[in-house]
Amino acid sequence: MNSAVEEIKSRINVVDLVGDYIKLQKAGANFRACCPFHNEKTPSFMVSEEKQIWHCFGCGKGGDVFGFLMELEGLEFKEVLKILADKAGIQLPEYNPQKASSKNKTLEILELVTKFYEKQLWDGSGKDKILKYLHDRQLKDESIKDFRLGYAPDGWRNILKFLLDRGYKAEEIMETGLLVEKNPKSEALNPKQIQNSNGQNSKVTSYELP
Ligand SMILES: [Zn+2]
């Protein structure tokens, strides 16, 4: 967003913008006018082309192109940003709350699934066979926890039921890539596989497909 602001400032000259609303007179390197924000007979409103700012020596108001439109039209910054971006021919990066929330949901599900598999490893059916296997491989409990290793018991239904029971919709679960839509009987994660998230102590962002 900051780069859009800078881009707008570089494309819209404060003298042109202010000049669209009030009559400016050249005064040396600057321009001056009667202030649009307070009542006056002698001009004390100055615009500097060099600094790309405006300032009124009468009422003390001042700012850049954004501040001028906000003050004059009584608008919020984001409204002025839109107006000036249009004027400058700049496409603003669009914020899509629906997309953002679906991404959060995916991360939430993956985190939950990781916890589920971790629990299977430490307290569930993986406790005896898999934990022993990892210990035999000289992995310390600390490392197993750091790498968030888990155990996925047989059957894709386990994890699907686990998530559906927690109120997640089937399409939200599909979004995570944990299950493949064409053949929901095949869990994308290889059953019995000992898996790992992609970072130490970090949030799980995806699972590798087998
Ligand atoms: Zn003023």
Side-chain angles (χ1 to χ4, degrees):
M1 202 58 91
N2 275 335
S3 67
V5 169
E6 291 311 313
E7 189 65 27
I8 287 166
K9 281 186 179 181
S10 77
R11 290 199 199 183
I12 295 179
N13 189 334
V14 68
V15 174
D16 295 336
L17 182 81
V18 174
D20 283 347
Y21 294 88
I22 54 176
K23 193 166 164 44
L24 292 174
Q25 288 176 321
K26 191 106 174 78
N30 301 319
F31 293 82
R32 77 175 161 215
C34 281
C35 178
F37 306 121
H38 83 279
N39 211 347
E40 65 176 3
K41 295 255 165 55
T42 323
S44 47
F45 180 91
M46 306 293 286
V47 181
S48 163
E49 185 161 29
E50 189 202 333
K51 293 181 185 160
Q52 286 296 305
I53 55 166
W54 56 275
H55 182 80
C56 173
F57 292 92
C59 65
K61 286 186 172 153
D64 56 14
V65 284
F66 292 93
F68 182 75
L69 267 198
M70 284 164 72
E71 194 70 47
L72 196 77
E73 308 275 19
L75 296 172
E76 298 281 323
F77 177 78
K78 60 180 180 193
E79 296 170 304
V80 169
L81 183 65
K82 213 170 168 299
I83 293 169
L84 291 185
D86 282 350
K87 200 176 167 71
I90 289 169
Q91 189 105 32
L92 289 175
E94 215 165 312
Y95 176 67
N96 185 339
Q98 209 178 347
K99 207 172 172 184
S101 106
S102 124
K103 193 175 177 214
N104 284 341
K105 191 75 86 174
T106 296
L107 292 177
E108 197 179 293
I109 291 173
L110 289 173
E111 177 65 25
L112 211 56
V113 168
T114 301
K115 283 191 176 135
F116 174 82
Y117 287 144
E118 281 175 325
K119 195 169 165 50
Q120 297 305 311
L121 177 66
W122 293 99
D123 303 317
S125 51
K127 194 176 173 183
D128 293 329
K129 40 185 180 179
I130 306 301
L131 206 52
K132 184 177 180 309
Y133 168 83
L134 293 173
H135 287 152
D136 288 348
R137 287 285 178 108
Q138 309 300 321
L139 272 162
K140 294 198 184 81
D141 282 358
E142 201 186 357
S143 311
I144 296 170
K145 281 177 181 159
D146 278 351
F147 284 98
R148 306 200 65 183
L149 298 181
Y151 172 60
D154 281 336
W156 60 275
R157 281 176 196 278
N158 276 326
I159 197 64
L160 185 60
K161 184 177 183 306
F162 171 79
L163 291 170
L164 291 173
D165 285 352
R166 272 153 190 79
Y168 291 100
K169 299 194 193 87
E171 60 262 31
E172 288 168 347
I173 300 167
M174 288 297 175
E175 276 281 294
T176 64
L178 280 171
L179 298 172
V180 181
E181 192 167 15
K182 270 186 185 164
N183 180 9
K185 280 186 180 169
S186 72
E187 191 167 3
L189 283 167
N190 206 353
K192 280 190 185 168
Q193 146 192 42
I194 295 160
Q195 82 245 335
N196 173 357
S197 70
N198 46 353
Q200 243 175 297
N201 287 331
S202 63
K203 287 239 178 272
V204 181
T205 53
S206 69
Y207 277 95
E208 296 277 321
L209 296 182

